[in-house]
Amino acid sequence: MANTSKYAFEEKVVIAAVRRACALTSSVFEKLIKNETLVKGDKSPVTVGDFAAQALISTILHNTFPNDPIVGEEDASDLRIESGKLMRERIVELANDALTAPLAAGDNVAWGIGPGAHRTSDEILEAIDRGNHPGGPNGRMWTIDPIDGTKGFLRGEQYAVCVSLIVDATVQVGVIGCPNLLVDPSDPSKGTGAIFSAVRGAGARQFTLEGTDPVSLSIPKTEVEGLKFLESVEAAHSSHSFNDRVTEVLGVQAAHVRMDSQAKYAALCRGEGGAYLRMPTVVGYKEKIWDHAPGEVLVVEAGGIVTDSRGESLNFGVGRSLGENFGVIAAGRDVHPKVIASVQQVQAEEKSKI
Ligand code: AMP
Ligand code: MG
């Protein structure tokens, strides 16, 4: 099942980068969060993990594709000042540990990884700052969300390491690493951790956390009556009450599945939920391209559809955000039109109340 597509090489490099980043974030959780050596509410471990994972991924991408710009969630200005010294040192150490870890099957030293691939502190900060590209409609660009779902990460629940390649506003490659997602939802004894990857036109696949043993993904057919909605855990990120009303309109009985991060897109591809619904909670918030680009190509390649509430494709070519927020609806082909119709009905109801 080798991927012989135009972007097969890019996919291979990104899976290697995401694999290393997942090991890094898992070790941050084990060492700094699980043991609760922290004052409650201190978010610094997630910040350290976030920066270090972005540095790692950005370093590998820049080393391998030096001309490609990067749209990354983080920037390093806070780390360059004196008060950021301690954090900076921890980030540099973590990023270097991950960069210099032994090569795994399929890895290549030419990607700037493996024993001896240390970077200086300045190189690590530059790697983080390289994520400052403004986005736009033309050419190649990478998106990096080093820890998507930071709230889930802190709770020990779902989070995802997410990378995509966008070419002329179309997502061509999307990779989502989910260290805490069950390998097989029907058999918890198999443990957790999987990498999901898609290349446009070449299918979607689930790999082990080591980046091996690909299994094709295809969204199972669902009946509307049994539809389970996937939604954010955080009510501030997507409207739970809107989703409740949509399920009423559809006559759906099943409880919603709440999950942090782009793990929702991966779960949809495996049939753990039948539709992912994300409607705005506040006027003015614009969805970020790094929060949806990997998920969009994954779902489409698994046979699904991703649109906004108008039924229009997400536009990855207008900058770092998707533009005006009309929500995000991802579902299998069979149910997507019905979900859109009920979303629009609920929108009309809400409008009539004003
Ligand atoms: P989730 O895990 O589905 O709750 O989504 C996590 C993502 O929500 C983060 O990566 C943020 O970029 C994004 N986010 C932050 N604030 C908002 C908001 N007000 N509306 C929608 N998404 C948000
Ligand atoms: Mg995110």
Side-chain angles (χ1 to χ4, degrees):
M1 217 189 335
N3 176 5
T4 53
S5 70
K6 186 174 170 196
Y7 295 106
F9 176 62
E10 280 83 348
E11 182 192 32
K12 216 170 147 179
V13 176
V14 184
I15 290 174
V18 167
R19 186 180 73 74
R20 277 171 194 257
C22 287
L24 185 161
T25 54
S26 295
S27 87
V28 167
F29 183 80
E30 292 296 320
K31 284 191 213 142
L32 300 173
I33 297 173
K34 201 166 141 193
N35 300 330
E36 292 185 53
T37 45
L38 284 169
V39 185
K40 208 171 169 359
D42 179 2
K43 296 218 173 65
S44 58
V46 70
T47 313
V48 167
D50 236 351
F51 278 114
Q54 178 159 316
L56 165 72
I57 297 166
S58 162
T59 297
I60 296 171
L61 293 179
H62 183 65
N63 190 87
T64 316
F65 310 103
N67 300 320
D68 288 353
I70 296 172
V71 180
E73 184 167 16
E74 311 298 340
D75 89 82
S77 41
D78 287 351
L79 302 176
R80 293 184 190 275
I81 51 179
E82 186 52 30
S83 61
K85 186 167 181 276
L86 204 68
M87 194 173 263
R88 181 170 69 233
E89 286 169 358
R90 287 165 79 193
I91 289 163
V92 171
E93 191 185 330
L94 270 168
N96 269 325
D97 284 351
L99 281 163
T100 58
L103 296 181
D107 280 355
N108 193 323
V109 280
W111 306 343
I113 50 176
H118 275 95
R119 305 303 202 279
T120 64
S121 178
D122 279 347
E123 285 171 330
I124 294 293
L125 294 184
E126 272 165 36
I128 297 169
D129 278 338
R130 220 171 280 124
N132 64 4
H133 185 66
N138 301 316
R140 284 169 58 111
M141 68 187 75
W142 296 91
T143 68
I144 304 175
D145 190 347
I147 300 182
D148 180 35
T150 48
K151 299 238 167 78
F153 178 71
L154 281 166
R155 282 190 246 101
E157 295 173 8
Q158 294 309 321
Y159 72 95
V161 176
C162 301
V163 182
S164 79
L165 173 67
I166 298 174
V167 183
D168 297 335
T170 298
V171 189
Q172 294 292 351
V173 181
V175 178
I176 301 178
C178 301
N180 293 343
L181 203 62
L182 286 174
V183 170
D184 178 351
S186 65
D187 184 0
S189 72
K190 289 186 182 156
T192 60
I195 294 177
F196 299 85
S197 179
V199 176
R200 181 127 356 227
R205 299 177 291 169
Q206 174 175 337
F207 293 80
T208 65
L209 215 43
E210 286 72 47
T212 58
D213 304 315
V215 176
S216 279
L217 292 170
S218 161
I219 298 178
K221 233 177 150 12
T222 341
E223 298 302 327
V224 166
E225 297 69 41
L227 199 67
K228 265 195 239 165
F229 277 92
L230 288 152
E231 65 184 12
S232 296
V233 175
E234 298 297 325
H237 294 173
S238 101
S239 173
H240 289 164
S241 56
F242 190 99
N243 291 5
D244 290 343
R245 184 65 195 125
V246 171
T247 48
E248 271 174 27
V249 166
L250 278 169
V252 167
Q253 303 295 327
H256 299 182
V257 180
R258 290 198 175 147
M259 196 183 275
D260 299 281
S261 84
Q262 283 174 76
K264 288 187 278 301
Y265 283 113
L268 173 68
C269 293
R270 305 197 300 193
E272 288 167 80
Y276 168 19
L277 188 48
R278 187 183 187 92
M279 296 302 287
T281 53
V282 284
V283 178
Y285 181 81
K286 291 182 176 170
E287 293 285 349
K288 307 294 179 264
I289 60 172
W290 54 79
D291 279 332
H292 298 285
E296 192 265 351
V297 67
L298 189 76
V299 167
V300 169
E301 287 302 316
I305 299 178
V306 184
T307 66
D308 63 21
S309 61
R310 301 167 302 175
E312 291 187 15
S313 303
L314 305 184
N315 188 346
F316 293 100
V318 290
R320 292 170 67 89
S321 300
L322 290 173
E324 199 180 340
N325 191 349
F326 296 97
V328 178
I329 298 160
R333 285 185 176 284
D334 42 347
V335 290
H336 189 273
K338 294 172 191 154
V339 177
I340 290 273
S342 20
V343 164
Q344 291 176 350
Q345 185 179 326
V346 177
Q347 281 175 322
E349 280 174 13
E350 293 203 335
K351 226 173 172 179
S352 69
K353 283 189 217 148
I354 303 168

